[in-house]
Amino acid sequence: MRRRPVTPEGAWAELAAGNGRWRTLRERHPDESAGLRRELVGGQHPFAVVLGCVDSRVPPELVFDQGLGDLLTVRSAGEVLDEAVVGSVAYGVLELGIPLVVVLGHQACGAVAAAVHAETGHGELPGPLRYLAGQIRPSIDRTLRGDACVDAAVTANVRRVAARLAAQAEMAGRIAAGKLAVVGARYELAGQWVHQVG
């Protein structure tokens, strides 16, 4: 097994390098060997938690060019938090000692667009989608319209979700001690690149 990063900075550097390989079509598809598969039966040691959207165009292992055992991925439409999502992220941090949590939003997010359209009076969402829209609603800038509103809401939602996770008591303590970072990021579908959004 290759050496995995143990610091927040090292983990982000590895993700950024992997995204660079993905963008330039130089993927390595690491950590997929038969030997590693046998080794992982005994336990896992991922170096980052990625909370991403369910969108089929943004699979974290691919956009960061990582393999088996590298990432603990949690996915919900629009990166919306509920108890199961928060608990899953916390499991990675508290039980597995992962040093980095990335909240990964993306360009043209359908869940965010649906929330924006519902908020701006373009029809009511079906029942199961109302929870998602309600969670995304605080990130909508009502002074913007159309695609600009959706795009701004994607970034604002990432920042809001990252801040909510960082405020969890157990995670806040690790952040204060320098053992954990919670980072907001965006994946741009047009250029396949990931960048931090603060």
Side-chain angles (χ1 to χ4, degrees):
M1 184 184 323
R2 67 189 169 116
R3 187 179 179 99
R4 291 193 168 109
V6 295
T7 66
E9 298 79 14
W12 177 258
E14 174 59 33
L15 293 180
N19 180 243
R21 295 191 300 270
W22 168 257
R23 284 194 332 262
T24 57
L25 304 177
R26 293 188 174 98
E27 302 95 326
R28 294 182 189 157
H29 303 290
D31 298 334
E32 297 178 357
S33 70
L36 179 70
R37 293 179 196 196
R38 286 190 298 274
E39 189 176 333
L40 287 173
V41 171
Q44 62 172 325
H45 304 285
F47 67 85
V49 176
V50 179
L51 169 56
C53 183
V54 295
D55 194 296
S56 63
R57 301 167 293 177
V58 194
E61 289 85 357
L62 293 181
V63 303
F64 289 120
D65 192 29
Q66 301 300 315
L68 294 172
D70 294 331
L71 304 180
L72 188 76
T73 57
V74 182
R75 298 178 76 174
S76 68
E79 309 84 59
V80 164
L81 297 179
D82 64 15
E83 288 186 27
V85 171
V86 173
S88 297
V89 172
Y91 173 79
V93 171
L94 303 176
E95 294 296 317
L96 300 178
I98 294 174
L100 177 67
V101 174
V102 178
V103 177
L104 182 63
H106 65 92
Q107 178 185 22
C109 178
V112 172
V116 168
H117 293 144
E119 183 67 14
T120 55
H122 292 92
E124 191 165 333
L125 293 170
L129 302 184
R130 289 184 200 138
Y131 176 79
L132 298 175
Q135 293 297 304
I136 295 168
R137 184 175 295 121
S139 301
I140 298 171
D141 182 344
R142 288 151 189 85
T143 67
L144 300 173
R145 296 285 177 263
D147 290 344
C149 185
V150 173
D151 196 65
V154 166
T155 299
N157 187 57
V158 165
R159 289 180 176 142
R160 184 170 175 273
V161 170
R164 288 178 63 194
L165 286 172
Q168 296 287 319
E170 297 86 355
M171 289 192 246
R174 287 181 176 256
I175 292 168
K179 296 178 181 177
L180 174 68
V182 177
V183 172
R186 267 183 64 133
Y187 178 66
E188 305 300 341
L189 295 171
Q192 292 92 54
W193 65 295
V194 175
H195 58 99
Q196 290 190 30
V197 294

